[in-house]
Structure formats: C-alpha cells, structure tokens
Amino acid sequence: MFAGQGMAPQLKGAIDNLIQSNKIVVFMKGTKQFPQCGFSNTVVQILRNVDAPFETVNILENEALRTGMKEYSQWPTFPQVYIDGEFFGGCDIMIEAYQSGELTELLERIKNE
Ligand SMILES: N[C@@H](CCC(=O)N[C@@H](CS)C(=O)NCC(=O)O)C(=O)O
C-alpha cells in the first residue's frame, strides 16, 4: 500500500499542519501532564531533561488519528516523535539519541532556525 493511500485528505492536512507548526511534536498515549503509557512517558521525560519545548497530541482521544498516524509515519507504534518537520523515531530511538548526545546536537542545530 502506498503511504497516505487510505487516509482522508483532511486528516493528512491536519497532521501536516501539526508537524509543520511545531518544532517538536509527540504523538503519544496520554498527555504531557498525564502520559498513559511507559514508552510515551519516557519520551516526555527525555524532552524535559534536554529542556526542549514540545507539543503533544493524545492519539487515544481519536481512533482515526491513531490509525492514520501509523500509515502517515509508516511506523506501527506510539510514541512517534517529529522534530523539525521530520519523523525522528519512537521511544527506543529517542533513548539512543539522548544517550549518544545526538539529540542534544540536533536540538542545538535547529534551535535558532
Ligand atoms: N519499541 C517501541 C515501543 C512502543 C510500543 O511498543 N508501543 C505500543 C504499545 S504502547 C503501541 O503503540 N502499539 C500500537 C497501538 O497501541 O496502537 C518504541 O521504541 O517506541
């Protein structure tokens, strides 16, 4: 199946907009204040630790978004982290990038764009 094939154009447009208007956005289970899954919680804690401003979108509140994001990102699970308009990864990738310093480097690079 081609990416985006089964997705309503309005939904795709809304996702595009969220990703483009926030430097960091996390599609996750629960909210920043109340994560409802350990993987999502880990990502929130990492972003807090690196002091990065970020938005979150609770995919548990919208089943179409939950299904749609898997297709949009071609990634089967949550959290899904977008940085600077691009899909960055899930929890494992975030942990790795945090521990290696790659995340801090990337955030420094895009900070003043
Ligand atoms: N290894 C994954 C862990 C995340 C994961 O396994 N998430 C599951 C359970 S919370 C998930 O989103 N499943 C699909 C769904 O619930 O729709 C990562 O690095 O992000």
Side-chain angles (χ1 to χ4, degrees), residues 33-65:
Q33 291 77 17
F34 187 52
Q36 286 180 258
C37 168
F39 300 115
S40 290
N41 182 48
T42 298
V43 164
V44 167
Q45 298 318 320
I46 288 174
L47 290 170
R48 288 216 166 111
N49 277 346
V50 296
D51 220 10
F54 63 102
E55 287 303 321
T56 58
V57 179
N58 184 2
I59 55 90
L60 293 177
E61 282 182 346
N62 186 332
E63 191 51 41
L65 182 63

Side-chain angles (χ1 to χ4, degrees), residues 6-109:
M7 195 183 302
Q10 295 93 327
L11 180 59
K12 187 184 176 300
I15 298 169
D16 285 341
N17 193 40
L18 278 166
I19 289 168
Q20 275 150 30
S21 54
N22 295 288
K23 218 161 235 192
I24 304 178
V25 57
V26 184
F27 296 86
M28 61 177 274
K29 295 188 176 181
T31 61
K32 201 191 281 201
Q33 291 77 17
F34 187 52
Q36 286 180 258
C37 168
F39 300 115
S40 290
N41 182 48
T42 298
V43 164
V44 167
Q45 298 318 320
I46 288 174
L47 290 170
R48 288 216 166 111
N49 277 346
V50 296
D51 220 10
F54 63 102
E55 287 303 321
T56 58
V57 179
N58 184 2
I59 55 90
L60 293 177
E61 282 182 346
N62 186 332
E63 191 51 41
L65 182 63
R66 181 177 185 166
T67 310
M69 279 313 296
K70 293 179 187 177
E71 187 184 327
Y72 185 96
S73 305
Q74 295 287 291
W75 192 261
T77 56
F78 298 96
Q80 295 183 4
V81 183
Y82 279 80
I83 302 179
D84 207 24
E86 284 180 23
F87 180 64
F88 188 78
C91 180
D92 294 344
I93 289 172
M94 283 293 283
I95 292 173
E96 221 177 278
Y98 176 57
Q99 289 175 345
S100 70
E102 185 201 335
L103 183 63
T104 314
E105 254 172 57
L106 171 63
L107 297 180
E108 269 310 310
R109 206 167 346 120

